[in-house]
Amino acid sequence: LAKSTKTLRKLGPLVISLAITGAPASLALAHSSSVERGTDRGRPEVHKKHPDYLYGERGRMGRGKVRTYAKLNADGSPASIGIIYTQGMLEGLPTEPNLESRCFDGNGNGTTEVDECIGDYELVLSLPREVIQNADIPFKWATLNWNPHGHPPAIWKVPHFDFHFYVATEEDIQAIRPGPCGALINCEDFERATKPVPAPYLPANYISVGDAVAAMGDHLVDSAAPELADPPQAEFTHSFIYGAYDGHIIFYEPMIANDFLLNQPNECKAFSLPAAWERSGYYPTEYCIRYYPGRERYRVSLEKFVYREAR
């Protein structure tokens, strides 16, 4: 999620005012001047003490180091897929929205205005090569997004990170064009982005707020999340988002408040699942947020994978 325009929709007792964005930096190259891409893309590496851990592309955010990783079981199935980062990532972060990159000429007038900038800071990272090459693991790449001012609704207007794990390819995401509809999205692509996900593949309690963005698609939010109740029943600490486009789920996203991370958490949470999956493979049932004292390391991960047969 990132800063964007507001969409207001009443859904039973729930009123949500949202602006949801995010885009792979490879698309932003065509529309803006500066992007962040990781290094050592696809270079395999194993942990010296824990050979079942594999590492993917690395990058930097704030004053810290960031890297994707995967922990595989003996049979090659995933036990954990996520992003590991140092304490420094939470320090020295920009405090104002990004107006230099991730900007799109949405109205096609040949210039980029302030309101045509998404406003977040994004790092694009490939997952470890062994994950990319495993046909039974649908996740291949991820993005880390920093939102210094958060975004609507008011409960989410706090500094936070979005950890996107994609099941759609980078090429498919890049094909979602910028334009004047929704949140910087082409009007035809807006219609495709907001096409309903068929009931069997739609996780329970998840709803679309009709706000789709270029190079990302629509976002589905948990209507049962306590912070989205009217009035809110809890402060926002972390929440789980699904991405959708053309009636398909395209990413899994833990969204986590910076203050919550600074408190050095160690917890996992199950999230709502669909009744069926379009593609066979291993899919997670919970996400985890962990701090490792002494090492000053954090992990945000998808875990407790279960193999699902397509139907």
Side-chain angles (χ1 to χ4, degrees), residues 44-47 50-55 69-82 127-140 282 299 302-303 305:
E45 181 177 327
V46 297
H47 195 285
H50 305 284
D52 51 347
Y53 277 83
L54 304 168
Y55 292 86
Y69 83 95
K71 182 178 185 294
L72 303 182
N73 297 312
D75 61 359
S77 62
S80 176
I81 290 175
L127 291 173
R129 181 179 299 176
E130 290 82 353
V131 172
I132 294 173
Q133 294 175 343
N134 190 330
D136 287 332
I137 302 177
F139 301 92
K140 305 301 180 186
Y282 290 99
R299 293 183 192 267
L302 304 177
E303 300 194 11
F305 285 79

Side-chain angles (χ1 to χ4, degrees), residues 86-242:
T86 61
Q87 176 72 36
M89 193 192 80
L90 305 180
E91 303 166 356
L93 289 162
T95 58
E96 295 301 323
N98 179 9
L99 302 181
E100 297 182 3
S101 66
R102 293 174 51 69
C103 298
F104 304 88
D105 182 13
N107 59 16
N109 67 355
T111 62
T112 301
E113 309 297 333
V114 170
D115 61 359
E116 293 178 313
C117 294
I118 293 173
D120 66 343
Y121 298 79
E122 181 175 76
L123 180 64
V124 183
L125 300 165
S126 295
L127 291 173
R129 181 179 299 176
E130 290 82 353
V131 172
I132 294 173
Q133 294 175 343
N134 190 330
D136 287 332
I137 302 177
F139 301 92
K140 305 301 180 186
W141 62 292
T143 65
L144 174 61
N145 299 71
W146 164 242
N147 302 271
H149 288 182
H151 52 69
I155 195 69
W156 288 347
K157 279 191 171 183
V158 297
H160 69 259
F161 289 92
D162 303 325
F163 295 79
H164 299 90
F165 298 93
Y166 288 87
V167 296
T169 67
E170 287 193 59
E171 292 74 18
D172 286 343
I173 296 301
Q174 291 170 16
I176 304 175
R177 299 164 292 177
C181 287
L184 303 178
I185 189 173
N186 173 274
C187 294
E188 292 180 357
D189 291 354
F190 175 84
E191 295 300 322
R192 293 186 66 187
T194 55
K195 178 181 176 180
V197 175
Y201 309 120
L202 181 65
N205 298 323
Y206 274 80
I207 56 174
S208 169
V209 294
D211 195 357
V213 299
M216 176 62 78
D218 201 9
H219 286 68
L220 309 179
V221 302
D222 183 1
S223 62
E227 75 268 19
L228 295 181
D230 186 15
Q233 301 300 305
E235 293 185 359
F236 164 58
T237 55
H238 54 90
S239 193
F240 192 82
I241 310 295
Y242 282 99

Side-chain angles (χ1 to χ4, degrees), residues 85-91 161 237-238 256-268 288-300:
Y85 57 94
T86 61
Q87 176 72 36
M89 193 192 80
L90 305 180
E91 303 166 356
F161 289 92
T237 55
H238 54 90
I256 309 170
N258 192 44
D259 282 349
F260 181 76
L261 291 171
L262 289 170
N263 286 328
Q264 303 176 348
N266 187 354
E267 66 177 70
C268 296
C288 297
I289 308 162
R290 295 190 177 98
Y291 172 74
Y292 293 85
R295 298 172 58 193
E296 295 187 335
R297 296 287 190 275
Y298 292 78
R299 293 183 192 267
V300 174

